[in-house]
Amino acid sequence: MTNHTARPVPPAVLKELRSADDAGHPAVPRTDDEGGAPLRCCLRRSEPGERIALVSYAPLRRWAAETGADPGAYDEQGPVFIHAEECAGPEDDRLPFTHAHRVVRRYSADGRILGGRRVEAEDGFGPALAEAFADPAVALVHVRAVEYGCFLYEVRRDDTR
């Protein structure tokens, strides 16, 4: 069985986003009174009272800069929640945010969308990721929320983690 690891936003990128996000706006920290925000820094839901920030993040653009790809029109940025201050990252390597319908979106090495699959149950994530990476043209997968299309995390092939 293949192990697929969710990748949080990297610490160096988080540091940049806490200063100015990918839209050029400063982060505006706030206290999360209710909790439940999906944090992309540690891949868990926020707890009431935690300091968080909603920032604009361009995950494909960041990946493209790392790999030399040119995603063209697929370069998008969107809102993500992060801790307002540095955190320890994920506590384990389980796939997070699997309690709701999600989209597993596939990308090629040049940054183009190769398709996707809606995952409706928690036990569907493993098969959806295995199916995605069975295609040798798939270099990267984004897991996204269905309701807003927001980026939750990325998954790469095991040999490029």
Side-chain angles (χ1 to χ4, degrees), residues 73-154:
Y74 296 109
D75 177 21
E76 60 184 333
Q77 61 189 33
V80 297
F81 288 103
I82 61 173
H83 275 114
E85 291 84 28
E86 187 176 334
C87 73
E91 294 178 1
D92 55 46
D93 62 357
R94 287 182 292 170
L95 292 175
F97 312 127
T98 58
H99 63 285
H101 296 183
R102 301 290 182 220
V103 171
V104 173
R105 189 186 295 170
R106 305 166 189 173
Y107 292 91
S108 66
D110 62 359
R112 303 298 189 260
I113 293 176
L114 294 176
R117 179 175 166 190
R118 183 175 171 167
V119 179
E120 298 185 9
E122 190 166 354
D123 62 359
F125 281 86
L129 290 168
E131 175 186 288
F133 289 118
D135 180 348
V138 173
L140 171 77
V141 168
H142 283 179
V143 175
R144 292 176 171 263
V146 170
E147 62 273 24
Y148 298 108
C150 295
F151 170 84
L152 292 168
Y153 55 89
E154 76 176 35

Side-chain angles (χ1 to χ4, degrees), residues 22-23 57-66 69 71 74-77:
D22 285 344
Y57 178 55
L60 196 60
R61 181 183 315 157
R62 296 276 185 162
W63 172 80
E66 182 183 312
Y74 296 109
D75 177 21
E76 60 184 333
Q77 61 189 33

Side-chain angles (χ1 to χ4, degrees), residues 4-108:
H4 298 101
T5 304
R7 296 170 59 101
V9 176
V13 173
L14 290 166
K15 184 176 182 178
E16 292 174 14
L17 295 174
R18 289 181 182 114
S19 176
D21 68 15
D22 285 344
H25 301 114
V28 180
R30 68 174 179 85
T31 300
D32 186 357
D33 294 326
E34 296 178 17
L39 297 165
R40 282 30 167 248
C41 49
C42 54
L43 301 180
R44 67 168 177 80
R45 299 251 176 215
S46 64
E47 298 289 333
E50 286 187 296
R51 299 278 296 157
I52 63 172
L54 182 63
V55 298
S56 184
Y57 178 55
L60 196 60
R61 181 183 315 157
R62 296 276 185 162
W63 172 80
E66 182 183 312
T67 64
D70 178 10
Y74 296 109
D75 177 21
E76 60 184 333
Q77 61 189 33
V80 297
F81 288 103
I82 61 173
H83 275 114
E85 291 84 28
E86 187 176 334
C87 73
E91 294 178 1
D92 55 46
D93 62 357
R94 287 182 292 170
L95 292 175
F97 312 127
T98 58
H99 63 285
H101 296 183
R102 301 290 182 220
V103 171
V104 173
R105 189 186 295 170
R106 305 166 189 173
Y107 292 91
S108 66

